[in-house]
Amino acid sequence: MISPIQKLHALGQSIWYDNIQRRLLAKSPEGKNGEMAAMIARGDIRGVTSNPSIFHNAIAKTNDYDPALIPMAWSGWNAEQIFWQLAIEDIRDACDLFLVLYRETEGADGYVSLEVNPTLAHNTEGTLSQAKQLWEWVARPNLMVKIPATLEGLPAIQDAIAAGININVTLIFSIDRYRAVMDAYLAGLDARLAAGLPVDHVASVASFFVSRMDTKVDHLLPEGSLLRGKTAIAYTKLAYEEFRKVFSGERFARHQAAGCHLQRPLWASTSTKNPAYPDTLYVNSLIGPATVNTVPPQTLEAFRDHGKAEPTLMKHLDKARKVLDDVESLGVSMDKVTAELEDEGVKSFADAFVAMLKTIDERRSAAVSELGPLAVSVKQCVASLIADATPARLWSHDPTLWTADKTGQEEVRKRLGWLDLPNSSRACLKEMRDFVSQVRADGFTHVLLLGMGGSSLAPEVLSLIFSPSLQGGVAFSTLDSTDPAQVLAADKEFPPEKTLYVVSSKSGGTAEINALFSYFWERTGHDGSHFVAVTDPGTTLEALANARGFRKTFHADPAVGGRYSALTHFGLVPAALMGIDLDRLLDRAAWMMRQCAADVTGTRNPGLVLGAILGQAALDGRDKLTFLADESVAPFGAWLEQLVAESSGKLGMGILPVDGEQAAGPESYGIDRLFVYLRREGMLDATVKALQDAGHPALVFNLADAYDLGAEFYRWEVATAIACAVLGVNAFDQPDVQDAKDRTKTTIAAYSHSKHFDEGQPLWEMDGMRAFSTMRLTGTGLGNDLQAFLSAVRKGDYIAINAYLPRNPEIATVLARLRLAIRDRTGCATTVGFGPRFLHSTGQLHKGGPDSGLFLQITAEPVEDLEIPGQGMSFGTLERAQALGDYEALAARGRRILRLNLPSPEAVKLLVNALK
């Protein structure tokens, strides 16, 4: 069945859509086409018009524009700069959607209109200048620039047409002015022809405003007059008669022979303002060939449902003239009406433009307030990054962004594959899905990932944040510890006969992972079908997997470093096993990738601007990046901790991520803090507002749902790379990590020979507890030495609690109490890391970053130890050797350390009591 819209188009009238907003356009964060693409595909609309009122509603009533608006505000742009950037993005996207139709109709349809600043309505030069500027900015052949048909606008219209710019002449109310508009169009064509310039691509419409006339005239007519609701249609029909005269005359015949287009009349303001009138009145009554009707959403839906598509424009012209004569006879001057309508229209659009800028400025001010004292320096930093062509250099893999060292540059070139992962990883998804189907078919109900750092943190974050919403997935957990109690707990929770073990290591030779594999290999009875490897091509893990008959080996992208690998096989294989929709996750990441692309205006690039904030904050002394988070997204902080700390902490520089520290009032924090609130439910809104009001910089990032992690993984990877460029450090190496590993190997070798650890002379030993330190402490017991250790803090220091203990809820709770007591006593930032896990996260920063850390290392005698099959030592021995290697590496750099060896993990409670 042919729809009313199809019939209308067949009669020669095009429906354009008087509406634009971001959610209608090309790509949502989920990667899906907006509704506008569907409307075009159905043939509902053949163009789009916009005006300040439409943009004001779109921006004021939704948060759709915030992802673009906020970075521009942080970059120091004013409200008008922000508006034009937002508008141009929307108009470009809409133009691109209509480009096929534009070409198919040879420029008859497919146009998108953008209005010049309406406050320029009486400024000829200003209007023309901005029309040229918008034409250049949008750079699309199917753009129409809207210029009002004021007396001052007419010369601008003529000159813009002569310059080859498509023009939508707006705010036409009188027939006399309409004649002048048509003359301006033809005069512009004359100028192009006289200059020998082409005219076949120059298009224009003349927008005649309809329903506003009835609204005004009806109030001037007597109550109950039968003329009410008839003036506008009658007047518009006579305007159309003028169009037919001009464009069937000799003057245009010469233009047409040269390839000029008709300047079609466009009926605007065709929604029904009076509810007593039919809702399709101003569509049904104005249908004729070579015309356009631009309709708002409600009018489009009404016409689609019950509109009547019949040729009506050229009918009853005598009646139309009589209506106008009768209106005049009642003392209504149409000249006065149309003059007032023009003044009111100009004022209405100007007021809407000013109101829109006010709304944007309110949003801008709110965003800038998040920066607090960093606003000026961040603006300068962003400008400097743009001046240095940083976005383009990032995407061209220019290593000089981070290092002048030739060896370092080679490492950088091999580590930038993450930039394209939202696209490149899609080729692997079918293989992953097929694998998951087979695993489920074979009856596996549990998955335990054996990994460290970049191989385990992203899967852990995904499992903890997605788990409440996933249905039908497997029981999933990560094991990234050599603590025997934690290994035993995982063994108990994950029965070998039901468990698939994901052995995940980029290098393939990670000591912890090798130990864990040896243990669980024995537990499964040497059954390779229970194991899958995720590693780079050609590693020893791949060789092991082949030799032991693993179920499968997945090759990760070798051009991606471990901490940037969330969207590679290291993150996606576990995500697939959990039941996460990988396409949806990558769609969100791809959306963020487009926002951070090389061709995106730098101030608009969310990754670049965030990176500028992180880097500049550190340079300004705010190097304690403190994450506050709603509970549902709090696990994300652990992944961010590794990314930021291991990337930035070197050459005496670095940004310390503070994750999991209990939120408090502004008085609990020093001026070395930059806060980031990961917001989902808004539980910490009041806390963050108090921090901002007290002058602390506190940024807010909203996550709509768990799949937004895809976008945030990507945003923070770009931001971290940029922050490191600002700091002047190589984001992609970890030069100090190997030292602790080498010292651990030496310690293990010595232990293997003597079966004894050389821990040095303790400060004291009592009740099974021993203390060691690189500092001059009292040596008189736990309470005194702990107090003396903390009294050594300096301004800008942090205290890192490095606990080689089981990572379980009980001990985590005690350590949270301990760090809170330390923060309250010292006023310093605190971190908690479980060893050896943190060695693959913050360990690099501890050793390569600034000398501003005090390290409280806690070890304990295991309650029950486990032998590592085939390695001649236990997990407890390996864990102790790692702690000693870490201690020695810190001591070699002159770090301030207090090491406490406890008689058991539970004795950690004594440390809290000692601070009371």
Side-chain angles (χ1 to χ4, degrees):
M1 182 177 179
I2 299 177
S3 70
I5 294 175
Q6 290 172 314
K7 291 179 181 177
L8 183 143
H9 289 160
L11 291 170
Q13 183 170 91
S14 296
I15 289 288
W16 289 5
Y17 198 43
D18 196 29
N19 185 37
I20 194 167
Q21 53 183 302
R22 191 143 292 195
R23 66 181 54 186
L24 292 173
L25 294 170
K27 292 289 185 182
S28 71
E30 294 198 40
K32 298 177 181 176
N33 279 327
E35 175 60 19
M36 187 168 288
M39 296 168 74
I40 297 169
R42 288 195 302 265
D44 290 350
I45 58 174
R46 300 175 70 80
V48 159
T49 53
S50 67
N51 60 49
S53 297
I54 289 171
F55 273 114
H56 185 207
N57 284 332
I59 294 170
K61 295 180 180 179
T62 73
N63 294 320
D64 294 354
Y65 293 83
D66 285 356
L69 187 156
I70 290 172
M72 290 187 280
W74 286 342
S75 299
W77 276 23
N78 64 39
E80 187 164 356
Q81 288 174 309
I82 291 171
F83 164 68
W84 287 118
Q85 180 64 32
L86 296 176
I88 287 162
E89 289 177 12
D90 280 2
I91 296 298
R92 280 178 180 163
D93 286 347
C95 283
D96 291 344
L97 289 175
F98 278 103
L99 194 56
V100 171
L101 179 64
Y102 169 79
R103 289 169 176 162
E104 287 177 348
T105 61
E106 297 181 342
D109 275 315
Y111 291 97
V112 181
S113 296
L114 174 62
E115 188 159 350
V116 298
N117 182 339
T119 64
L120 299 173
H122 299 296
N123 181 336
T124 301
E125 291 182 2
T127 295
L128 179 61
S129 175
Q130 189 164 83
K132 291 179 177 178
Q133 191 172 54
L134 294 178
W135 182 253
E136 179 182 344
W137 282 347
V138 176
R140 297 295 188 273
N142 52 334
L143 168 71
M144 277 194 171
V145 178
K146 293 178 74 173
I147 296 178
T150 58
L151 288 173
E152 296 83 358
L154 293 174
I157 294 165
Q158 178 177 326
D159 290 347
I161 292 294
I165 301 171
N166 302 325
I167 299 298
N168 177 339
V169 185
T170 188
L171 291 176
I172 305 173
F173 293 97
S174 77
I175 291 176
D176 283 345
R177 185 60 53 79
Y178 179 37
R179 294 189 188 101
V181 166
M182 291 187 283
D183 184 68
Y185 172 64
L186 294 174
L189 294 177
D190 287 338
R192 283 192 70 78
L193 290 170
L197 298 172
V199 293
D200 57 328
H201 69 281
V202 182
S204 179
V205 293
S207 296
F208 215 93
F209 280 56
V210 182
S211 66
R212 296 188 190 193
M213 182 173 286
D214 274 344
T215 301
K216 191 166 192 69
V217 172
D218 283 359
H219 284 91
L220 301 175
L221 295 173
E223 188 71 31
S225 171
L226 296 179
L227 292 172
R228 287 191 168 188
K230 295 182 179 179
T231 307
I233 292 170
Y235 200 87
T236 305
K237 286 187 174 187
L238 297 185
Y240 183 67
E241 188 177 38
E242 292 300 313
F243 159 76
R244 295 183 67 211
K245 289 178 184 177
V246 170
F247 287 96
S248 61
E250 291 184 9
R251 183 180 181 188
F252 183 70
R254 295 192 301 271
H255 291 86
Q256 197 167 28
C260 295
H261 292 274
L262 291 170
Q263 184 190 50
R264 289 181 295 173
L266 179 150
W267 313 136
S269 185
T270 54
S271 62
T272 303
K273 309 296 189 291
N274 189 332
Y277 298 162
D279 55 3
T280 58
L281 174 65
Y282 300 108
V283 183
N284 293 348
S285 306
L286 298 173
I287 299 172
T291 59
V292 178
N293 196 321
T294 187
V295 295
Q298 67 272 20
T299 304
L300 179 66
E301 291 307 313
F303 189 79
R304 186 208 314 277
D305 180 68
H306 51 267
K308 295 181 180 178
E310 299 173 354
T312 51
L313 255 179
M314 293 178 285
K315 291 183 177 180
H316 312 302
L317 294 181
D318 289 342
K319 290 183 179 180
R321 292 186 181 90
K322 186 174 188 310
V323 165
L324 296 177
D325 288 345
D326 290 346
V327 167
E328 291 273 0
S329 71
L330 292 173
V332 177
S333 167
M334 291 305 297
D335 288 343
K336 182 180 179 183
V337 164
T338 55
E340 290 177 355
L341 284 171
E342 179 181 303
D343 291 342
E344 292 164 4
V346 169
K347 183 178 185 302
S348 174
F349 278 3
D351 288 349
F353 189 81
V354 171
M356 176 190 62
L357 292 185
K358 183 174 183 293
T359 296
I360 292 174
D361 197 56
E362 290 168 355
R363 299 264 185 99
R364 183 201 64 80
S365 296
V368 172
S369 71
E370 295 182 4
L371 291 177
L374 298 175
V376 173
S377 61
V378 166
K379 177 181 178 180
Q380 294 168 345
C381 183
V382 172
S384 177
L385 289 169
I386 293 170
D388 289 341
T390 301
R393 291 170 66 194
L394 172 67
W395 280 93
S396 66
H397 297 194
D398 179 356
T400 62
L401 272 175
W402 299 279
T403 180
D405 177 70
K406 297 298 183 182
T407 303
Q409 289 178 7
E410 286 304 312
E411 179 68 16
V412 170
R413 291 189 182 96
K414 295 186 293 185
R415 291 289 178 258
L416 287 167
W418 56 271
L419 282 166
D420 195 48
L421 285 176
N423 291 332
S424 61
S425 287
R426 293 180 190 272
C428 313
L429 299 190
K430 183 180 184 303
E431 180 186 22
M432 295 179 195
R433 294 190 189 102
D434 291 345
F435 172 74
V436 170
S437 296
Q438 188 60 54
V439 166
R440 290 179 178 173
D442 289 348
F444 288 100
T445 57
H446 293 63
V447 174
L448 182 63
L449 186 143
L450 314 177
M452 300 298 295
S455 302
S456 64
L457 285 169
E460 179 183 83
V461 166
L462 291 168
S463 69
L464 293 174
I465 294 180
F466 272 95
S467 59
S469 62
L470 292 177
Q471 302 293 326
V474 296
F476 184 95
S477 188
T478 61
L479 180 58
D480 56 358
S481 176
T482 54
D483 187 272
Q486 199 165 332
V487 175
L488 278 170
D491 192 8
K492 182 177 180 180
E493 185 180 353
F494 287 78
E497 66 275 8
K498 297 179 180 179
T499 299
L500 178 73
Y501 300 93
V502 180
V503 187
S504 188
S505 171
K506 181 173 179 62
S507 69
T510 309
E512 298 95 333
I513 299 170
N514 290 341
L516 293 171
F517 165 71
S518 295
Y519 178 81
F520 288 104
W521 177 253
E522 291 295 321
R523 293 288 292 131
T524 62
H526 301 184
D527 186 350
S529 69
H530 281 257
F531 293 86
V532 56
V534 182
T535 189
D536 279 5
T539 65
T540 55
L541 176 55
E542 180 184 11
L544 177 71
N546 292 336
R548 300 290 180 93
F550 279 23
R551 174 177 287 268
K552 189 171 182 62
T553 297
F554 286 99
H555 289 144
D557 187 343
V560 180
R563 56 186 174 272
Y564 290 83
S565 65
L567 299 175
T568 69
H569 288 80
F570 288 110
L572 296 181
V573 170
L577 288 163
M578 295 173 212
I580 293 172
D581 184 338
L582 301 185
D583 281 307
R584 192 175 176 190
L585 186 70
L586 289 175
D587 284 345
R588 300 288 179 93
W591 177 83
M592 183 58 72
M593 180 178 71
R594 290 192 295 274
Q595 310 308 301
C596 299
D599 59 351
V600 171
T601 300
T603 54
R604 161 75 173 80
N605 182 323
L608 179 128
V609 175
L610 175 58
I613 295 170
L614 301 180
Q616 189 61 48
L619 293 177
D620 288 355
R622 292 186 179 269
D623 59 351
K624 313 303 188 300
L625 176 60
T626 304
F627 295 109
L628 307 176
D630 289 332
E631 185 177 356
S632 63
V633 293
F636 187 44
W639 181 85
L640 289 169
E641 183 179 51
Q642 186 209 12
L643 176 71
V644 174
E646 199 166 59
S647 297
S648 69
K650 53 206 71 167
L651 301 180
M653 304 290 289
I655 300 167
L656 175 76
V658 181
D659 175 44
E661 189 181 58
Q662 182 177 320
E667 68 282 355
S668 296
Y669 302 109
I671 59 171
D672 57 351
R673 302 273 193 153
L674 166 63
F675 294 92
V676 166
Y677 176 26
L678 304 172
R679 185 179 184 275
R680 179 79 180 274
E681 295 85 16
M683 303 301 292
L684 296 177
D685 283 351
T687 298
V688 172
K689 180 66 164 56
L691 290 170
Q692 292 170 342
D693 290 346
H696 287 290
L699 315 181
V700 180
F701 293 93
N702 289 289
L703 283 78
D705 57 34
Y707 282 98
D708 267 357
L709 284 174
E712 294 305 322
F713 282 142
Y714 197 90
R715 182 210 302 267
W716 282 89
E717 287 170 353
V718 173
T720 300
I722 296 298
C724 290
V726 172
L727 294 178
V729 298
N730 187 343
F732 307 105
D733 68 355
Q734 43 285 331
D736 297 280
V737 168
Q738 191 60 43
D739 184 31
K741 292 180 180 180
D742 292 342
R743 292 175 187 275
T744 296
K745 290 178 182 178
T746 301
T747 302
I748 291 172
Y751 177 86
S752 299
H753 179 70
S754 65
K755 302 301 178 185
H756 171 75
F757 285 117
D758 181 10
E759 299 180 292
Q761 184 65 35
L763 286 172
W764 47 261
E765 184 171 358
M766 60 185 68
D767 299 325
M769 186 184 302
R770 301 191 305 278
F772 305 83
S773 182
T774 59
M775 303 165 63
R776 292 183 179 273
L777 302 178
T778 67
T780 58
L782 176 62
N784 290 336
D785 276 342
L786 194 53
Q787 306 280 3
F789 172 71
L790 295 178
S791 68
V793 298
R794 304 184 292 252
K795 182 179 180 181
D797 278 349
Y798 67 93
I799 293 91
I801 303 169
N802 297 339
Y804 289 83
L805 302 172
R807 189 163 62 98
N808 59 44
E810 294 77 21
I811 290 180
T813 298
V814 174
L815 293 179
R817 289 167 52 204
L818 177 62
R819 76 186 295 189
L820 181 60
I822 290 174
R823 185 187 69 187
D824 290 346
R825 181 174 292 267
T826 65
C828 292
T830 62
T831 65
V832 170
F834 282 91
R837 164 188 168 107
F838 78 85
L839 294 175
H840 300 262
S841 177
T842 54
Q844 168 62 43
L845 181 133
H846 292 167
K847 301 167 187 70
D851 184 15
S852 55
L854 281 78
F855 300 94
L856 177 60
Q857 187 187 85
I858 306 170
T859 58
E861 300 300 324
V863 175
E864 180 180 357
D865 207 347
L866 290 173
E867 287 298 313
I868 304 171
Q871 295 196 17
M873 65 177 171
S874 68
F875 278 105
T877 300
L878 175 58
E879 183 182 32
R880 180 66 56 83
Q882 290 176 305
L884 292 175
D886 182 36
Y887 183 94
E888 290 176 9
L890 290 169
R893 289 158 176 78
R895 301 304 197 230
R896 293 162 286 170
I897 321 166
L898 172 61
R899 175 174 167 245
L900 298 172
N901 186 68
L902 310 179
S904 70
E906 288 71 23
V908 70
K909 298 174 184 176
L910 298 173
L911 276 65
V912 180
N913 295 333
L915 286 178
K916 288 183 178 179

